[in-house]
Amino acid sequence: MVNEVLFWIVAFLTVIPSLALLFAKRPVHIAMSIVTVMVGLAAAYVGLGAPFLGVVQIVVYTGAVMMMFLFVLMLVGVDQREDLKETIKGQKWIGFAGSIGLAILLIAVIGKVTMEPRITGVEGNPEEIALQLFSEYVLVMEVLGFLLITAAVGALVLTHVPRLTPRRTQVELAEARVLAGANPVNKPMPGVYARHNALDVPALDPEGNVIEDSVSRVLEIRHQTQDGAEFRAHLENPEQKGGDDK
Amino acid sequence: MQSLIWLAIAIPLASAAFLLLAGKRADAWGHWVGVAASSVAFLVGAGALLEMLGESGDHPGMTLTLWEFIPGGDLNVDVGLLVDPLSITFVMLITFVGTLIHFYSVAYMEHDVARRRFFAYLNLFIAAMLLLVLADSFLLLFFGWEGVGLASYLLIGFWNQKNEYATAANKAFVVNRIGDIGLIVAMGMMFAAFGAVDFETVFAQAPEASTATLTAIGLALLLAACGKSAQFPLQSWLGDAMAGPTPVSALIHAATMVTAGVYLIVRSAPIFNGAPDAQLVVAVVGAITLLLGAFIGMAKDDIKKALAASTMSQIGYMMLAAGLGPIGYAFAIFHLVTHGFFKAGMFLGAGSVMHAMNDGVDMRRYGALRGVMTITWVTFGLGWLAILGVPPFSGYWSKDKIIEAAFVGDGWQPWVLGGAALVGAGLTAFYMSRLFFMTFHGKARWNDEVHPHESPLLMTVPMMILAVGSAFLGLFLASGDRFAHFLEPVTGHAEHHDPVIPIPLIIGLTLALVILGAVIAWLKYGRADVPEEAPAGSLATITARNDFFQDSVNRAVFQRPGQHLTRTLVYGDAAIIDGAVNKQARGWARLGEGSRKFQNGQVRSYALTMLVGVVVIALVIVMGA
Amino acid sequence: MNYVILAAILFSIGSAAVLLRRNAIVAFMGVELMLNAANLALVAFSRMFGELDGQIMAFFVMVVAAAEVVVGLAIIIALFRARQTISLDEPAELKG
């Protein structure tokens, strides 16, 4: 039976990735697993005769909500690995026990219930849902609209950082820099003119010494810069063939 | 004039307020305002008396309702004044003696910087005392009662720059408050029993009340009377009250305020008539006090304290008479009036002597003052004869009647009470003669700095007037039982009873004892030399000299156990009540400390708690279903 | 019926994630999983009863969840700004 097969597929597609919530270490992996769960659930909805919800599930959850999660994850630092070692005494075991107890309890209750499945073949096609939404549930729809606007404004308020000092203009910034004794002219660009102008190669002064400032500090920290020695050697010994001199 | 009697209270009160508020600019003439206020009060009282004497009928006088005082649901008290023979008697005594003493004080307090204040207090006292005797309800009487207590306190402590005087004032105040509790309790019981505290309602319902109720009210009233009148066992304050200026001692602590207790008992006659046990207690208290006062008086060397003891003793006579019932009421008041005259006169005489002796009060430093202070000697002598009960002076007519009345009755009572009264008369004769001879006769024992001189006329004239009263008032009032008939509407008609021993024998015995006492006093203190320092004396003398160790007894019986009790209570409060509260509080605090651990601030713990709660509730629902 | 049991299991996993993970974002994903489990149950019941109301309710839940995610993530960002961390154990000012 197609439905049976579908159910088992969905079951594996949801339960296995959702376990990542408990055991995975990298938040990005978890988020991707949840995306999988959402897609599985969307398949389940379609299988249960609710194609509209299936589509909405994909669009809202997979497309919007989970992407927002990922976005926030990037914002707060994707590297925030979590140590799974529990810090609160007893939290782990009581938490597991409580969750498993809840699952057992729910399954036991559901198993006890015998219901007459009345499969009337009602398909949750978008038209019927739309009719219901905008007739019987129109008030709820409007209230939900308010809720969404409120949530949007709330998010704006929560993430807004009020400016405490007046904004400094570019002129003021430049003056301040000169006052502080900085070099008024531009820093030298990276790269060796006519030979190698990649960003990771420091510029050389007329005497052939490396100008440290010409390379982005980030690259330096990542040890992704070249020291330019081979090009200097090439300058000193024109006979030798350069690496990229093809 | 009877309907204007309120002026007698209002004018001295207004004068007192004026004098207290007027400030220094009234210092020069303020005392004359006080004298005038007192005199006007006397004139108002005299007018009321004349009007009353002109009235016929069984119930002369009137009730004057001024305004509604406490309009309560069940308790309605009006401010009303009761003018009847009893109250008018007191009004006359208070205003007449009071006015004389006001005049006397003008001279006596001449060099005192606070003379204006003194007269303000005196006027306050006059107003309060008049309110006390004119009130038509126990509650209003209580106002006057407290007012005189206040005035007494202020005047005893008038020279409060001396610590012991201030202490004496406090002592008088505190002891009086003990008595006041009695009056408050009595009013409470009256309200419970009769639903009212005005005289008319209470006395109208008193005959129907149970004996137990009346006895309880009577004993509470007696406690009040004991406090105010310095009767046993609340007598300790009177001796110390002599710290006040001598005119105060004469007016408040001899003639008027201390007799308020007797007034209360006589005024409450309908209550006591229904409570024979309470009456007996009154009489016994009176008998004890009269002997106690007499014994103390025999040993005191301080002239004012000796007189104070004598006052105590004489008020004991009055209480004894008041406790005898209708046969005694009239004589109690009669003795009160004559006593007011002769004792006030003697106090003023003592003041005059002190004035002459640079305020020395030790009688052992007096002696042979007859020559230099003739007027004082004569006036004091008349008072002395009166208190001794020598016929035909005032004291004879009143005291002798009390002794006679004390011998009326059945069983042991006449013998005990009468015997006490009889012995008291002899003791009185001894200690008053001792005082008189030590002061005016014998050899001069004062030292060289003292230059005795007669007092100015402003002081001697009031003394003379009082001396005339001491001499003849008794005869005037007693002739034809004039006074007893006058009071009859209030005290009730007394059936004539025969004493257990014949009247002539009583009179004879009394006179014999009086003469005996006086002769012994003459032999010991008149003819013989009086040592300037008090001899060690026997145990009895020491006991009497120390007021029967009343202070020590009070300290041992009331103060010490009281202190221990309060200390125990404080301990109990701290250990048991506070302890329980604190332990409980500590328990709650510990509970809080314990429950604080649940608030560990960890969001996930809270979430866990929620989940566990959800599981448990779901489990309960599932199991229950 | 099977779908309801699946929803129960997913719900339990989500709740365990909320309880056990310290990373606020991960815990939040647990909350989302619980919401989705509820949605699955609603849709399954809707199927069983042949009524559309379950689906509509699931739709509403999605909308509310979207609003909740917006606010929740904003709170997490604000938290991160204030503390430079998103650990749930860090804000313990309410400790008694």
Side-chain angles (χ1 to χ4, degrees):
Chain A
M1 223 168 133
V2 178
N3 263 340
E4 283 291 304
V5 175
L6 181 65
F7 169 76
W8 286 109
I9 293 172
V10 167
F12 278 106
L13 208 56
T14 50
V15 174
I16 304 296
S18 68
L19 285 177
L21 266 177
L22 302 179
F23 305 111
K25 285 184 180 164
R26 281 179 174 267
V28 178
H29 293 170
I30 298 169
M32 293 318 292
S33 311
I34 298 299
V35 167
T36 318
V37 174
M38 298 302 173
V39 173
L41 283 175
Y45 294 161
V46 174
L48 283 168
F52 172 68
L53 273 184
V55 172
V56 171
Q57 172 81 4
I58 298 243
V59 171
V60 172
Y61 271 103
T62 321
V65 172
M66 290 321 295
M67 287 313 111
M68 198 144 75
F69 268 100
L70 278 172
F71 178 74
V72 172
L73 269 176
M74 298 301 166
L75 198 66
V76 301
V78 77
D79 276 350
Q80 291 224 347
R81 276 166 204 248
E82 192 185 354
D83 189 1
L84 283 178
K85 199 171 174 236
E86 187 54 58
T87 46
I88 304 172
K89 199 176 140 195
Q91 173 86 6
K92 195 167 191 171
W93 302 116
I94 299 173
F96 268 125
S99 300
I100 293 169
L102 184 68
I104 292 170
L105 190 67
L106 287 174
I107 292 167
V109 171
I110 294 162
K112 263 168 70 178
V113 178
T114 51
M115 264 194 307
E116 202 86 343
R118 288 184 297 166
I119 301 174
T120 53
V122 174
E123 288 292 310
N125 59 53
E127 272 177 40
E128 276 183 39
I129 289 180
L131 278 175
Q132 288 246 335
L133 277 180
F134 290 100
S135 59
E136 203 175 333
Y137 294 101
V138 67
L139 184 67
V140 184
M141 283 297 287
E142 291 180 2
V143 171
L144 283 176
F146 283 125
L147 179 71
L148 282 172
I149 287 184
T150 314
V153 173
L156 282 178
V157 169
L158 280 170
T159 52
H160 176 71
V161 181
R163 173 169 285 283
L164 298 174
T165 51
R167 178 187 277 281
R168 294 162 78 194
T169 61
Q170 212 163 4
V171 178
E172 284 171 335
L173 285 171
E175 280 170 356
R177 222 171 316 160
V178 173
L179 274 176
N183 194 351
V185 299
N186 286 349
K187 289 177 182 170
M189 299 299 284
V192 179
Y193 185 67
R195 295 300 298 241
H196 195 294
N197 63 352
L199 289 174
D200 57 345
V201 180
L204 299 178
D205 65 4
E207 292 166 7
N209 296 322
V210 172
I211 303 171
E212 298 278 348
D213 279 351
S214 61
V215 194
S216 169
R217 206 157 45 87
V218 176
L219 295 178
E220 232 170 278
I221 291 165
R222 286 184 183 171
H223 302 294
Q224 288 174 332
T225 54
Q226 316 260 352
D227 60 359
E230 50 181 313
F231 308 112
R232 197 163 49 233
H234 196 72
L235 276 176
E236 285 160 2
N237 186 4
E239 302 303 314
Q240 194 179 336
K241 285 204 153 189
D244 56 345
D245 192 13
K246 294 277 165 70
Chain B
M1 286 303 268
Q2 285 180 16
S3 54
L4 290 177
I5 197 76
W6 60 273
L7 280 174
I9 302 171
I11 289 174
L13 195 62
S15 163
F18 169 75
L19 287 177
L20 284 176
L21 296 175
K24 281 191 178 133
R25 69 204 78 132
D27 271 349
W29 41 269
H31 47 279
W32 291 115
V33 175
V35 171
S38 182
S39 309
V40 170
F42 169 67
L43 291 178
V44 171
L49 173 68
L50 289 177
E51 190 180 328
M52 184 180 288
L53 289 175
E55 278 177 32
S56 54
D58 289 343
H59 291 282
M62 63 186 295
T63 306
L64 184 67
T65 303
L66 296 179
W67 71 82
E68 224 175 30
F69 177 39
I70 301 176
D74 291 331
L75 176 68
N76 277 297
V77 183
D78 295 340
V79 172
L81 301 181
L82 175 65
V83 187
D84 66 359
L86 180 60
S87 60
I88 210 74
T89 304
F90 268 89
V91 170
M92 290 313 294
L93 175 71
I94 295 158
T95 53
F96 183 67
V97 177
T99 305
L100 288 179
I101 289 173
H102 270 75
F103 277 106
Y104 179 92
S105 305
V106 171
Y108 189 85
M109 301 296 286
E110 194 170 3
H111 303 297
D112 199 294
V113 286
R115 182 160 63 162
R116 178 176 51 83
R117 189 160 58 90
F118 179 80
F119 275 85
Y121 292 163
L122 272 190
N123 275 333
L124 176 67
F125 170 77
I126 297 279
M129 189 72 201
L130 289 177
L131 180 65
L132 195 164
V133 296
L134 283 169
D136 76 336
S137 67
F138 280 99
L139 190 64
L140 199 57
L141 178 144
F142 187 66
F143 270 77
W145 190 268
E146 292 301 314
V148 293
L150 171 67
S152 161
Y153 166 75
L154 291 172
L155 286 167
I156 294 171
F158 187 72
W159 288 318
N160 55 12
Q161 62 269 30
K162 275 203 184 174
N163 210 8
E164 60 207 273
Y165 290 3
T167 310
N170 283 340
K171 186 176 178 186
F173 199 77
V174 169
V175 177
N176 266 294
R177 293 293 81 71
I178 295 171
D180 294 343
I181 291 168
L183 192 49
I184 293 173
V185 170
M187 280 196 285
M189 286 192 286
M190 277 175 213
F191 183 58
F194 310 123
V197 290
D198 60 305
F199 292 151
E200 202 181 335
T201 320
V202 170
F203 296 158
Q205 293 182 18
E208 287 128 47
S210 69
T211 313
T213 311
L214 293 177
T215 307
I217 296 176
L219 289 178
L221 288 173
L222 175 64
L223 178 64
C226 283
K228 195 57 87 188
S229 293
Q231 297 297 291
F232 180 81
L234 297 179
Q235 81 283 19
S236 63
W237 64 274
L238 187 61
D240 290 344
M242 294 303 125
T246 308
V248 171
S249 309
L251 179 60
I252 300 184
H253 304 121
T256 55
M257 186 191 84
V258 287
T259 59
V262 180
Y263 169 79
L264 185 69
I265 304 278
V266 173
R267 177 57 85 190
S268 313
I271 290 172
F272 282 96
N273 288 346
D277 292 339
Q279 275 185 325
L280 182 61
V281 177
V282 173
V284 168
V285 165
I288 291 174
T289 315
L290 86 87
L291 289 178
L292 199 68
F295 281 122
I296 295 171
M298 288 195 295
K300 287 286 180 190
D301 289 332
D302 180 326
I303 185 168
K304 283 183 74 179
K305 294 209 166 161
L307 282 172
S310 157
T311 303
M312 234 165 79
S313 172
Q314 297 302 311
I315 295 171
Y317 269 109
M318 299 171 210
M319 290 296 248
L320 172 61
L324 294 174
I327 55 166
Y329 291 144
F331 300 129
I333 300 300
F334 189 15
H335 191 56
L336 194 155
V337 172
T338 54
H339 171 258
F341 273 83
F342 61 69
K343 186 55 66 61
M346 282 194 284
F347 258 114
L348 295 190
S352 174
V353 170
M354 285 160 59
H355 203 64
M357 303 298 289
N358 289 359
D359 287 334
V361 289
D362 190 356
M363 290 191 289
R364 294 188 184 274
R365 296 282 177 178
Y366 293 170
L369 286 173
R370 180 181 55 167
V372 282
M373 304 180 72
T374 320
I375 300 174
T376 307
W377 177 67
V378 172
T379 55
F380 202 100
L382 285 171
W384 170 62
L385 290 171
I387 196 172
L388 254 54
V390 175
F393 299 101
S394 290
Y396 166 75
W397 303 102
S398 53
K399 195 157 84 177
D400 216 58
K401 290 285 185 194
I402 293 178
I403 298 172
E404 280 173 30
F407 273 108
V408 175
D410 317 307
W412 55 273
Q413 294 170 19
W415 297 104
V416 172
L417 298 177
L422 198 60
V423 172
L427 297 176
T428 306
F430 172 75
Y431 71 75
M432 284 313 295
S433 307
R434 169 178 176 269
L435 189 155
F436 187 69
F437 295 141
M438 272 174 104
T439 305
F440 292 103
H441 295 268
K443 282 186 189 145
R445 297 183 297 275
W446 63 76
N447 39 13
D448 294 337
E449 304 107 68
V450 181
H451 304 288
H453 53 85
E454 187 53 275
S455 299
L457 269 183
L458 206 52
M459 284 167 75
T460 50
V461 170
M463 285 156 60
M464 288 184 239
I465 296 172
L466 288 173
V468 171
S470 313
F472 304 115
L473 188 69
L475 180 63
F476 172 72
L477 291 178
S479 56
D481 280 345
R482 191 176 289 163
F483 191 64
H485 284 305
F486 178 64
L487 284 180
E488 213 159 62
V490 181
T491 58
H493 181 69
E495 297 296 325
H496 184 73
H497 293 281
D498 281 324
V500 285
I501 45 178
I503 291 175
L505 184 59
I506 296 176
I507 296 175
L509 270 174
T510 312
L511 286 178
L513 278 171
V514 166
I515 292 163
L516 183 67
V519 166
I520 294 174
W522 169 251
L523 292 177
K524 273 195 80 171
Y525 299 101
R527 213 179 52 183
D529 287 342
V530 178
E532 287 187 23
E533 297 301 325
S538 64
L539 184 65
T541 319
I542 294 169
T543 309
R545 209 174 270 159
N546 286 307
D547 303 323
F548 282 79
F549 302 112
Q550 57 192 14
D551 289 339
S552 312
V553 168
N554 282 350
R555 200 167 293 137
V557 177
F558 298 108
Q559 189 186 340
R560 289 274 158 68
Q563 280 175 341
H564 285 301
L565 179 69
T566 49
R567 260 175 224 151
T568 315
L569 286 178
V570 165
Y571 174 77
D573 184 52
I576 296 166
I577 297 174
D578 280 7
V581 172
N582 287 345
K583 285 268 164 57
Q584 197 193 1
R586 218 165 289 145
W588 289 117
R590 225 166 270 153
L591 190 67
E593 288 286 326
S595 58
R596 211 182 70 170
K597 295 209 174 94
F598 294 113
Q599 296 282 335
N600 58 2
Q602 302 289 357
V603 191
R604 296 187 298 134
S605 287
Y606 301 165
L608 179 61
T609 315
M610 273 173 70
L611 180 80
V612 171
V614 166
V615 171
V616 168
I617 289 171
L619 199 64
V620 168
I621 292 172
V622 170
M623 291 301 185
Chain C
M1 190 63 82
N2 291 335
Y3 280 104
V4 181
I5 292 172
L6 176 64
I9 291 169
L10 286 178
F11 188 89
S12 301
I13 293 172
S15 68
V18 172
L19 294 182
L20 300 176
R21 299 307 294 251
R22 263 169 295 169
N23 188 320
I25 295 176
V26 178
F28 205 23
M29 285 189 228
V31 173
E32 291 303 313
L33 187 62
M34 287 159 82
L35 281 166
N36 274 293
N39 270 356
L40 181 59
L42 282 171
V43 174
F45 282 129
S46 168
R47 170 78 171 178
M48 277 185 221
F49 289 106
E51 303 273 346
L52 274 182
D53 296 283
Q55 292 187 23
I56 289 169
M57 216 41 73
F59 175 69
F60 289 153
V61 170
M62 280 183 199
V63 178
V64 173
E68 179 233 356
V69 165
V70 169
V71 176
L73 287 176
I75 289 173
I76 288 172
I77 288 174
L79 190 73
F80 178 73
R81 276 214 194 112
R83 299 176 174 274
Q84 307 301 317
T85 177
I86 49 171
S87 170
L88 281 178
D89 288 354
E90 201 64 31
E93 276 87 0
L94 284 177
K95 184 170 166 55

